[in-house]
Amino acid sequence: MNPAEQNQTETGSFWNDTGRTGIAAWIFSTDHKRIGLLYFYSVLSFFLIAVVLGVLLRIELMAPGRTIMGPQAYNAVFTVHGVLMIFLFIIPGFPGSFGNLIMPIQIGARDVAFPRLNLFSWWLYIVGAAAIVTSLFTGGGPPDTGWTFYVPFSARTGTNVTLAVLGVFIVGFSSILTGVNFITTIHRLRAPGMTWKRLPLFVWSLYATAWVQILATPILGITLVLVIAERVLGAGLFDPGRGGDPIMFQHLFWIYSHPAVYIMILPAMGVVSEIIPVFARKPVFGYNMIAFSSLAIAAAGSLVWGHHMYTSGMSDTAILVFSFLTFIVAIPSAIKVFNWVSTLYKGSISLEAPMLFILSFILLFSIGGLTGLILGAAATDIHVHDTQFVVGHFHYTIFGGAGFTFFGAMHYWLPKFYGRRYAEKPAVIGWALMFVGFNITYFSMMVLGLKGMPRRYYDYLPEFAPLNLTSTIGSWILVGGLVLILVNLFRGLRSGDPVGQNPWGGATLEWSIPTPPPTENFSADPVVTHGPYDFKGAGIP
Amino acid sequence: MTKDAQDNTAHSIGYGKLTAVWLGLLCLTALTVWVSRLDLGIGHVWGSLAIASTKAGLVIAFFMHMRYEGRLLRLLLFVALLTLAIFIGFTFFDVLYR
Amino acid sequence: MSHPLHKDYAGAKLGMWLFLFTELILFSGLFLLYGAYLARYPHEFAAAGREMHLFFGTLNTAILITSSLLVAMAVTAIQRDERRTTLLLLGGTVLCAAVFLFNKYLEWSAEIGRGIYPGSPKLVAGPPGESVFYGLYYLTVGLHGLHVLVGGTLLTVVALRVRRGTIHGGDYVWLENGALYWHLVDLIWIFIFPLYYLIL
C-alpha cells in the first residue's frame, strides 16, 4: 500500500527512502509521522479485537441465562474488553496517533522535541500490549476483575492479574513519556510567529492532555505496583484482615482513572474545534475560552475522583466535597459546546463525513455528559451506581464522544498522509448506521440501569430481557456501520481519488505543506502571520 | 528562536556555596533527629515534615539550580507540588471523617 | 532525519524536570497511603518506628546528602571544563550510592532475620498497624533503592562519557540531567527518613 508508487508528487514525501528497508524503516524510525501511523494501526487493531469482545458480550446478554459462554468467560471478556479499549485504544489513541501525526506540523516544527524518546514510547506500548495479550493465555488465564482491578478480589483471584497489570504499567510509562515529549515540544519548538494565541485548538487540547498524562499516570503506576505487591509479596496493604483498607485502593485507582477520561476526551474535543470551523467556513467562536476550558477541564477533572466511590463506605464529608466539585467540571465542557454551536450559527455548513461524526459527537457527548451529572449527584448515584446506567453513560461519552471523533479525524486527516480519499456516500451511510445502532445499543442500557439491572452481572431477571435484546440488535447495526466506514476508508486511502494539498480548505499549517507531507515537514521554517481559523489571512476562499 | 539564547546560558554555583548548603542540610538532619527525641506527640509529624520540607527546599533551590531558573520552571514545579497536595489532601476528606 | 536537529539545552532540561515530576507523583502514592494509615494506627506506627535502625537511617541520610553535594559539584566542575575533578566527583557520588545500598542490605538482613518482611508469619500474627507500617516501609524503601540503583548506573554511564570526552564544558546536558535525577533520589529519602525512622 505504498502511495509513493502511484502519486507523482511524492518524491521527497515521508513515505520514501529513509536509509532502511522493509519493516526496519518503520519500527526504527524517529519520524513523528511514521510513529503516528505505527500508533494508529496498533491502537486500531486492539480496538477491533475489543469490538469483537463487545459483540460477544452483547450476544451473551441478548437472552437470560447462558447463551454462548459461561460466567467465568463472561467476567474475563468484559475485563479484557475494558482493558483493551481503555489502555490500548482510547488513552494512547489520540496523543499517539493524531497527536504525533499532526501536532508538530501544526506548530510549524520538523518533529517533536525528543524523537528517539517518541519511538521508545511506541516500543513500550507494544511491549506492554504484548504482556497484556500474553496474560490472556498464560498463568490462571485472562483477568476477571473488571478493568478496575479492585481489591480484595484482584489480590486473591487465580487469574493472571499480575502479568496483565504489569503490561498496563508499561503502557502507562509510554503514556507518561509521550506527555513529557509533547509539553516540551509545544513550549520549545513553535515556529516564529506561532504564539500561544495562534496555536490550533487541537494543540491546546494535546497540551492539557499531556499535563494529565504527566501528573496522573504515575499514580496508576504505583497503584498497579501495589496490586502486584499484594499478590506476589502478600504485603496486606489493602487486606482488611491485615489492617489494610480496600477503599484506599479505590482512591489511588481513581485519582488516575478519573483524569484518564480527560486524556480520552480532551484531544477529541480538540479535533472538534478543528473540524467545525473548516466545515462551517467560519473562524471558531470564543477561541480564548475554548483554549482555557481545556486547561480548566484538566485541572478540575483532577479534583473529582471520589465520585466513583459514593457507595464504597467513604465518609459523608468526602461524598459531599466530591459531588460538589463534579458539578463544577461540567462547566468548561458546556462552554465548549456553546462555543461550537455558536461557530456553526450562520456558518456555511457542509455535511461531509468528518463533519457528520463531529456533529453527532456534540449530541452524543452531551447526552453522556448530562447523564454524568445524574451520576455525579450523590443522591441519584445511590440508585444507579454499578448499574447498566453507568455503562450507558461512559459509552456515550467515550464511544459516542471520543470514539466518533476518532473516526471523524480518520476521515479528515488520513487522506492528507496517503494522498487519496474515501468515497463519500458509503461513509455517510456507514455513519448513519453507526449513529442509529449506537443509540439503540446504549440508550437501552441506560433505561435498563434505571430499572435496576446491575452491570458486570452474568445473568439478569426476565423483565430485563426485551431491552437487552434490543441493545444487542443495536450493536449489530452499529458494528455493520463500523465495518462499512472502515472498509470504505481504507479502500479509499489505497486506491481512491487523489487528494491535493488542501482538500478541506483548512487554515492550519498541515494544509500548507504538500500531500503527503515531506519528511522534514517544511522546506524552510514557516513564519506564522495568521491565526489557525483565519481563512482570509491564509488566502483560502 | 531568540528566546533560546537566554535559556541556553548556564549558571554555575561555586564549590563554596554548595558546601555551605551541604553543611546546612547536615545540621537540619541533626536537628530533626534531636526534635524526634522530644516529647511532642502528634507534633512530631508536622515538625519532621517542616524540617524535611526545608531540606528539600535547599536541595531544589541550590543543588538543582532552581534558584537560578526561569519563571516557567518554577511555576511548573509549583503546579506539580499543588497536584500532589490535592491528591493527598482530598483523600483526607475521607480518611479523617469516617 | 537528513540533518541533525539543533541541540536545545533548555528543552532537554525542561523534559527532565517534567520526568522528575512524574517520579515525585509516583512516590506520593506511597506517601498518601502512609498518611492515611498513620491517621488510623498512630500508636502502632510509633511503636514500629521506634524499632527501626536509627543509626542506619541517619547514616544513609548523611550519605545521600553528601552524594548530592558531590554530584552538584560535578556539574560546576564540568562547566569549568575540569575533566579530572568531574570524574572524581562523579566517582564519589557513585561510591556513596554503593555504600547506601550496602547499608540497606545490612539493615534489611537484620530485619528479615527478625522475621519482619512482607507477608511474614510474625507480621501476619501481629497487630494490623505494624503489618501495614512494615509493608509500606519495604515497598517505599525498596522502590527508592531501585531508583538509587538506576541513578547510580546512569551516573556511571555519564562518567564514562565524560572520560571519553563526549560530555564536556560545551555540552554537558546529560551530566546535568543525571544530577537532577540523583537529587530527586535524595529528595525522596529526605522524606522517607523522618516518616519511617523518626515517628516516635
Side-chain angles (χ1 to χ4, degrees):
Chain A
M1 156 150 77
N2 189 350
E5 292 155 359
Q6 289 150 338
N7 191 333
Q8 276 156 343
T9 60
E10 292 206 29
T11 49
S13 98
F14 80 99
W15 290 99
N16 286 356
D17 179 38
T18 64
R20 295 190 182 94
T21 49
I23 198 166
W26 285 89
I27 65 172
F28 294 114
S29 168
T30 55
D31 178 353
H32 70 94
K33 299 179 287 300
R34 288 190 179 227
I35 295 174
L37 287 177
L38 286 173
Y39 265 109
F40 174 72
Y41 285 108
S42 313
V43 304
L44 193 68
S45 306
F46 286 109
F47 169 70
L48 292 173
I49 297 172
V51 166
V52 170
L53 293 175
V55 169
L56 291 174
L57 281 174
R58 281 272 27 119
I59 293 177
E60 172 54 39
L61 288 174
M62 83 189 212
R66 182 195 169 106
T67 312
I68 53 165
M69 62 177 93
Q72 181 61 34
Y74 178 79
N75 289 352
V77 172
F78 74 64
T79 301
V80 178
H81 170 82
V83 170
L84 259 47
M85 282 294 192
I86 289 178
F87 292 115
L88 296 185
F89 171 55
I90 200 66
I91 286 179
F94 268 109
S97 59
F98 295 111
N100 264 316
L101 281 171
I102 302 293
M103 182 271 285
I105 306 178
Q106 280 194 335
I107 66 172
R110 287 162 196 263
D111 209 303
V112 293
F114 309 117
R116 287 174 301 179
L117 193 69
N118 203 11
L119 177 64
F120 183 60
S121 290
W122 179 75
W123 284 349
L124 283 176
Y125 169 90
I126 293 298
V127 168
I132 292 172
V133 169
T134 309
S135 79
L136 309 181
F137 304 107
T138 55
D144 54 352
T145 56
W147 76 275
T148 48
F149 296 114
Y150 272 22
V151 295
F153 184 55
S154 64
R156 297 181 190 165
T157 177
T159 59
N160 207 345
V161 166
T162 303
L163 185 56
V165 147
L166 180 64
V168 174
F169 178 89
I170 296 171
V171 173
F173 197 35
S174 161
S175 184
I176 286 174
L177 294 179
T178 301
V180 170
N181 221 335
F182 281 15
I183 297 277
T184 311
T185 304
I186 296 171
H187 272 278
R188 302 293 304 169
L189 298 186
R190 285 169 286 124
M194 179 59 79
T195 58
W196 285 90
K197 293 270 181 92
R198 284 193 185 138
L199 280 176
L201 289 166
F202 182 52
V203 179
W204 270 107
S205 73
L206 287 170
Y207 182 76
T209 304
W211 274 111
V212 181
Q213 285 173 289
I214 289 175
L215 294 177
T217 316
I219 295 283
L220 175 74
I222 198 65
T223 308
L224 298 175
V225 165
L226 285 162
V227 171
I228 296 177
E230 289 290 284
R231 290 180 66 85
V232 171
L233 296 176
L237 288 170
F238 300 121
D239 181 351
R242 302 262 309 276
D245 183 358
I247 298 180
M248 292 312 300
F249 172 86
Q250 293 189 30
H251 276 296
L252 285 174
F253 182 81
W254 289 111
I255 287 176
Y256 165 73
S257 300
H258 189 81
V261 312
Y262 298 107
I263 298 176
M264 302 174 202
I265 202 66
L266 277 171
M269 290 172 157
V271 172
V272 173
S273 299
E274 292 298 316
I275 289 183
I276 287 192
V278 171
F279 285 78
R281 307 312 305 162
K282 246 186 99 195
V284 77
F285 180 92
Y287 172 95
N288 287 346
M289 285 312 285
I290 297 187
F292 169 75
S293 67
S294 293
L295 296 174
I297 289 173
S302 306
L303 309 178
V304 301
W305 74 84
H307 66 221
H308 297 268
M309 299 165 58
Y310 293 149
T311 64
S312 64
M314 180 168 82
S315 77
D316 287 344
T317 309
I319 293 177
L320 217 122
V321 169
F322 283 117
S323 182
F324 173 70
L325 291 171
T326 302
F327 273 72
I328 294 191
V329 94
I331 298 173
S333 305
I335 288 176
K336 285 187 192 278
V337 173
F338 297 149
N339 285 354
W340 290 326
V341 172
S342 303
T343 308
L344 290 169
Y345 178 66
K346 287 199 176 170
S348 171
I349 298 174
S350 71
L351 293 177
E352 288 147 289
M355 187 58 154
L356 289 171
F357 279 106
I358 264 55
L359 288 178
S360 48
F361 160 94
I362 297 181
L363 175 68
L364 299 176
F365 182 75
S366 297
I367 293 175
L370 290 169
T371 53
L373 291 173
I374 297 173
L375 289 160
T380 44
D381 182 70
I382 305 298
H383 179 65
V384 287
H385 178 79
D386 264 350
T387 65
Q388 291 288 326
F389 187 84
V390 182
V391 183
H393 157 75
F394 66 67
H395 281 94
Y396 264 90
T397 45
I398 304 183
F399 190 179
F404 269 54
T405 311
F406 195 82
F407 305 130
M410 283 165 65
H411 287 81
Y412 182 60
W413 273 318
L414 288 181
K416 177 74 189 176
F417 290 86
Y418 281 89
R420 293 186 180 277
R421 56 161 295 155
Y422 59 92
E424 192 63 47
K425 213 194 251 176
V428 174
I429 296 173
W431 165 81
L433 286 172
M434 284 187 71
F435 183 76
V436 169
F438 178 93
N439 281 298
I440 296 174
T441 310
Y442 296 108
F443 206 81
S444 308
M445 286 186 201
M446 296 212 274
V447 178
L448 281 167
L450 287 170
K451 283 169 171 280
M453 178 182 166
R455 69 181 288 200
R456 290 182 174 159
Y457 272 36
Y458 171 68
D459 200 0
Y460 52 79
L461 297 173
E463 71 210 58
F464 299 135
L467 275 173
N468 268 295
L469 179 60
T470 310
S471 176
T472 301
I473 294 173
S475 74
W476 296 336
I477 301 171
L478 171 60
V479 171
L482 179 67
V483 169
L484 179 56
I485 61 151
L486 289 177
V487 167
N488 180 49
L489 178 64
F490 288 111
R491 186 184 287 176
L493 294 177
R494 193 192 187 97
S495 54
D497 295 338
V499 142
Q501 182 172 299
N502 195 352
W504 309 115
T508 41
L509 284 174
E510 73 270 31
W511 307 111
S512 72
I513 60 175
T515 296
T519 306
E520 298 279 306
N521 299 338
F522 303 93
S523 46
D525 278 342
V527 178
V528 179
T529 54
H530 61 84
Y533 313 108
D534 181 3
F535 301 114
K536 252 195 270 196
I540 296 163
Chain B
M1 288 188 293
T2 48
K3 71 178 196 276
D4 242 354
Q6 299 155 284
D7 297 334
N8 280 311
T9 51
H11 34 75
S12 190
I13 307 183
Y15 297 129
K17 195 172 223 170
L18 291 172
T19 309
V21 173
W22 173 72
L23 286 170
L25 288 169
L26 289 178
C27 286
L28 286 169
T29 306
L31 178 68
T32 199
V33 173
W34 179 74
V35 165
S36 74
R37 305 271 139 209
L38 304 173
D39 189 12
L40 293 174
I42 195 66
H44 279 137
V45 180
W46 298 111
S48 315
L49 282 178
I51 297 176
S53 301
T54 311
K55 288 165 80 178
L58 284 174
V59 171
I60 293 174
F62 293 100
F63 284 173
M64 298 175 90
H65 289 222
M66 192 52 100
R67 184 99 166 65
Y68 309 95
E69 294 290 354
R71 254 190 349 204
L72 174 69
L73 214 45
R74 285 195 263 190
L75 174 69
L76 298 186
L77 174 64
F78 174 73
V79 168
L81 291 175
L82 180 67
T83 308
L84 202 149
I86 288 175
F87 288 167
I88 299 181
F90 279 33
T91 306
F92 272 82
F93 279 126
D94 174 27
V95 168
L96 284 181
Y97 297 105
R98 291 263 187 93
Chain C
M1 299 274 130
S2 59
H3 67 262
L5 299 165
H6 74 279
K7 293 206 171 204
D8 180 11
Y9 164 79
K13 200 160 34 148
L14 172 62
M16 190 65 204
W17 270 102
L18 292 172
F19 179 68
L20 293 184
F21 295 158
T22 70
E23 292 276 31
L24 208 64
I25 303 224
L26 182 80
F27 279 93
S28 76
L30 292 172
F31 287 120
L32 183 156
L33 279 184
Y34 178 94
Y37 287 130
L38 173 67
R40 182 185 281 210
Y41 303 113
H43 300 294
E44 289 89 335
F45 268 45
R50 250 171 268 134
E51 310 222 319
M52 297 287 289
H53 296 259
L54 183 59
F55 171 72
F56 275 123
T58 313
L59 179 64
N60 270 348
T61 306
I63 288 172
L64 276 187
I65 291 174
T66 307
S67 71
S68 253
L69 168 70
L70 294 176
V71 80
M73 284 180 160
V75 172
T76 302
I78 199 79
Q79 285 170 328
R80 299 176 182 178
D81 239 331
E82 295 169 2
R83 208 173 63 129
R84 263 215 72 195
T85 314
T86 308
L87 284 171
L88 279 170
L89 290 165
L90 282 175
T93 312
V94 175
L95 183 64
C96 285
V99 174
F100 178 93
L101 288 174
F102 180 69
N103 284 344
K104 219 15 83 202
Y105 160 75
L106 292 176
E107 190 183 356
W108 279 21
S109 301
E111 299 284 7
I112 293 170
R114 288 200 294 145
I116 295 178
Y117 52 90
S120 73
K122 179 170 181 196
L123 285 180
V124 171
E130 184 189 52
S131 166
V132 166
F133 178 89
Y134 281 113
L136 276 174
Y137 165 75
Y138 272 105
L139 264 172
T140 311
V141 171
L143 191 62
H144 176 263
L146 194 65
H147 283 75
V148 172
L149 194 59
V150 167
T153 311
L154 175 64
L155 289 176
T156 307
V157 169
V158 164
L160 291 172
R161 288 177 144 214
V162 169
R163 202 168 70 139
R164 212 183 317 147
T166 330
I167 298 178
H168 54 81
D171 180 8
Y172 57 90
V173 73
W174 270 85
L175 171 50
E176 185 160 7
N177 281 351
L180 283 176
Y181 187 83
W182 188 255
H183 292 305
L184 179 85
V185 168
D186 183 24
L187 276 174
I188 293 167
W189 183 263
I190 282 175
F191 284 93
I192 290 179
F193 173 57
L195 292 178
Y196 286 96
Y197 292 85
L198 300 181
I199 296 293
L200 294 168

